[in-house]
Every structure is written in C-alpha cells, then in structure tokens.
Amino acid sequence: MDTGAYHFGFIGFGHFAEVIYASLRQAKMVKPGQVLFYKRSHHTAVSKKWGISAVSLEQLLTVSDILFLCVRPQHLTTLFSGFPRNLDLSLKLFISIIAGKKISYFLEKLGPSTQIVRVMPNIPCSIGEGMSVFSFGPEVEEKYHEVARYLFSAMGDLVEIEEKYMDIATALSGSSPAFISLFIDALAKLGQEEGLSYDLALKLVAQSFLGTAKLVQKGQMPGELMEKIAVPGGTTEKGLQVLADRKVAEEIKKAAKATMMASKELSNG
C-alpha cells in the first residue's frame, strides 16, 4: 500500500508516539516531510531528535489526513477545547491510543460523523513484535480500515474486536508485558542469588519465555506444555505444586482484572 499521499499528525508525542513514528519510518511507510506534531512542551527536543516539525493545533488539524491521538486521558478536555469549531474534520481519520476512552466519547466531542479508530498497542511494538487491538467507529471508511491495519502491521500482529472487549484486551495485551517482566525478573534474581550473573540468568529466562510463547503460537496449549515438562515426581512438578498451593494463577487473574477495572473507570470518568 502506498501511503505517500497522506499527511500524518501526532497530537502529543510521548513514548508511544515515538514508538509508532519510529516503526512507520523504519518500515518506510512515512517520510519526515509527511509528518507534523503538536505538543504542549518540549517540542524543540522532539523536532531535533526525529527531524519533524512542531506546529499549532489548528495547523495540524488543517493539514493532516490521519491524526494520532497520543495524549493522556486527563488532558483531553483541554485539548478539545482548543479545536477550531469551523473546521470540518469528517474526512480525516483519528487514531486513538488513549486507554479507557470509548469511541462514543470522541463522537460526542468531535461530532457524530468523525472517523475514529481505537487502538491498544503494547510495548513490544517497539521492536516489531507487538500486538495491536483495534475497534473501528461506525463512520470509518473502508480505505481507512485498510490504512490503519497497514500502518500498525509494521509493529507486529493485530486483531479487531468489538469495543466492549477493549478493557479486558487492555489487561491481556497492553498491560501483560509488565506482568511477564515481573515474572522474568523474579526468576533471574533467583539465578543471581544462586551464583549466576544477573545477565546470564536473564538470558536463560528470557529465551525460555520466548520459546514457550512461540510453541503456543504454533498451536501447543499451555496445559499440554505443562504436562510435557512436569513429569510425575520430577523437578518441575515440585515447583508447580508450590505455585498451585499459593494460588498464583488466581492471583495473576486478579492482577489482570484490576487492570481491566481501571480501564473501565477511565471509560466512565
């Protein structure tokens, strides 16, 4: 797909906006001359680092065809109050990566004809191994469906779901890399306590997580893998029993559910 005819605007340019822009540029989907951004502060540093220009909000909205909404949820009211009221935004695509904000919220603030897609990417997008979860608004043209999917394909895999499942997807995809990192770190620190260097222990654990994930992606079910590894009377069985006694699986679900509920609170806030 040729995206050379589009102009892109970033509203906000924090860490995840950098991930998106860097991925698109590396994949040669965009050139610096196609991209502008609006940021309330530190815009000089962003321009210097990435070679793109900062402009006023009005200019960004006027020039851009595709706009990435990358601000914090608490800043949206102030942001939208600065949108020019006489500007027709209905032909533009808004891509929101803002956690917890529903499509209906944007339709209310920007108008019922707004073309809005809600996307939840995750941190592995920064190396092209991410997962991006999509929900499209009712007014989004088919060409923009294709463009949005194409852009995020540069960052890894993607799925489209009904928006009502976006809160649980936030927990399972958006937040789970933090939970996984906690598990990896705990195992690596045990290795360090037992005499290995932290870096070596980290390598052992990280590769084991990577390989296990690939086995699951190839069709192996987690339960089947546990059965294959934890032979009766073996070493792994002892460790799994400790986890079962402490109901670790239930605690992991509780952590993910807390994340899901936090996303719901943002939706209703």
Side-chain angles (χ1 to χ4, degrees):
M1 175 178 288
D2 184 8
T3 54
Y6 292 106
H7 290 90
F8 300 87
F10 284 83
I11 300 177
F13 209 88
H15 173 71
F16 240 112
E18 289 190 349
V19 167
I20 293 170
Y21 174 66
S23 298
L24 298 181
R25 187 169 173 179
Q26 184 175 7
K28 301 188 185 322
M29 292 181 178
V30 302
K31 297 177 180 178
Q34 292 175 261
V35 181
L36 300 170
F37 75 96
Y38 167 77
K39 195 172 189 292
R40 294 190 306 168
S41 60
H42 307 297
H43 46 78
T44 302
V46 172
S47 294
K48 185 176 180 179
K49 180 178 180 180
W50 295 105
I52 56 179
S53 299
V55 295
S56 69
L57 182 58
E58 183 173 0
Q59 184 178 351
L60 188 80
L61 292 168
T62 301
V63 172
S64 303
D65 305 299
I66 298 173
L67 293 127
F68 293 92
L69 291 167
C70 304
V71 300
R72 294 179 180 176
Q74 60 267 34
H75 296 158
L76 281 172
T77 300
T78 302
L79 174 70
F80 289 146
S81 68
F83 273 40
R85 296 186 178 182
N86 60 344
L87 188 62
D88 182 10
L89 301 174
S90 63
L91 297 180
K92 303 175 185 296
L93 176 67
F94 287 86
I95 299 176
S96 169
I97 64 166
I98 302 168
K101 287 302 180 183
K102 295 179 180 179
I103 289 169
S104 59
Y105 171 84
F106 296 104
L107 296 179
E108 178 186 346
K109 297 295 183 182
L110 300 177
S113 61
T114 301
Q115 300 188 66
I116 177 78
V117 54
R118 186 177 171 189
V119 184
M120 176 52 63
N122 64 11
I123 198 67
C125 286
S126 62
I127 58 167
E129 293 289 347
M131 173 58 74
S132 298
V133 183
F134 281 72
S135 291
F136 287 92
E139 298 300 321
V140 179
E141 299 175 39
E142 184 56 38
K143 69 172 183 178
Y144 279 147
H145 277 252
E146 295 176 6
V147 170
R149 292 191 190 99
Y150 176 66
L151 294 174
F152 279 85
S153 71
M155 297 163 237
D157 204 352
L158 49 93
V159 296
E160 182 178 348
I161 62 172
E162 293 181 56
E163 191 185 19
K164 64 182 180 180
Y165 299 119
M166 189 61 82
D167 297 313
I168 184 58
T170 297
L172 299 183
S173 178
S175 299
S176 65
F179 307 148
I180 293 167
S181 296
L182 177 67
F183 209 125
I184 290 173
D185 183 57
L187 289 172
K189 283 179 176 173
L190 173 63
Q192 186 179 33
E193 291 167 9
E194 295 298 324
L196 297 176
S197 71
Y198 179 79
D199 287 346
L200 176 56
L202 192 63
K203 181 177 182 178
L204 295 176
V205 178
Q207 181 59 40
S208 298
F209 265 76
L210 178 62
T212 303
K214 287 184 175 181
L215 283 169
V216 172
Q217 286 182 328
K218 288 180 179 293
Q220 291 276 338
M221 297 302 293
E224 294 173 357
L225 287 171
M226 285 189 283
E227 286 183 10
K228 287 181 179 180
I229 301 165
V231 296
T235 56
T236 304
E237 186 182 53
K238 298 294 185 184
L240 286 176
Q241 189 59 55
V242 171
L243 297 177
D245 290 344
R246 286 159 177 75
K247 296 182 168 43
V248 170
E250 289 302 314
E251 294 303 311
I252 291 172
K253 288 195 285 185
K254 286 180 184 177
K257 192 160 188 176
T259 300
M260 180 188 75
M261 296 309 296
S263 179
K264 288 182 180 292
E265 289 174 11
L266 282 173
S267 298
N268 296 327

